[in-house]
Amino acid sequence: MSETKKKKESFFSYKGRPLVRNGNILYYGNMDGSCVAFLQILGDEKMQDLSVGNKVVVQLLSTDTSLRMKERILKKSEKNGLYEALNIASIWLDRAETPSDAAN
């Protein structure tokens, strides 16, 4: 595989998972997994010269495309700030990837 193709395929990552942004929408997690986090920045505030998201909706979505969109939403929350939103998304994805110990 050529070096330029490797660069095009790599994504920015947060805590070891891919993070992709398009405008005010972010997808966090691996689309090959069972779940991915969908983050939508609803509001922002100016801090010096930067626009910082201060109101973020987080949804944990199933990647099963056979389900309707309403059925794909597993969890939903609203957080103050992008850090809090990514933090809860990371926790949800960790829990979704870890098998339950309830069977033992």
Side-chain angles (χ1 to χ4, degrees):
M1 188 178 284
S2 70
E3 188 65 32
T4 56
K5 193 168 186 172
K6 284 183 184 178
K7 286 182 183 179
K8 288 181 183 179
E9 291 179 357
S10 66
F11 294 106
F12 180 76
S13 66
Y14 177 74
K15 293 188 177 182
R17 291 189 182 93
L19 180 65
V20 179
R21 180 177 181 170
N22 183 14
N24 289 338
I25 305 292
L26 292 98
Y27 285 94
Y28 176 54
N30 191 343
M31 290 303 286
D32 293 335
S34 62
C35 299
V36 67
F38 171 82
L39 294 86
Q40 182 177 15
I41 301 171
L42 299 178
D44 56 2
E45 61 185 39
K46 283 283 193 189
M47 293 186 81
Q48 296 175 359
D49 292 338
L50 296 174
S51 180
V52 179
N54 64 352
K55 188 175 180 184
V56 183
V57 171
V58 184
Q59 294 179 353
L60 183 65
L61 301 177
S62 170
T63 55
D64 184 356
T65 56
S66 67
L67 298 173
R68 293 184 329 206
M69 193 58 192
K70 275 189 167 184
E71 295 170 340
R72 292 176 64 188
I73 299 171
L74 304 175
K75 293 185 181 204
K76 185 175 181 177
S77 181
E78 188 172 307
K79 296 296 177 186
N80 295 320
L82 188 56
Y83 175 77
E84 286 185 33
L86 283 170
N87 192 35
I88 194 67
S90 178
I91 292 169
W92 286 350
L93 289 170
D94 285 343
R95 290 179 181 170
E97 293 170 359
T98 305
S100 175
D101 290 333
N104 293 334

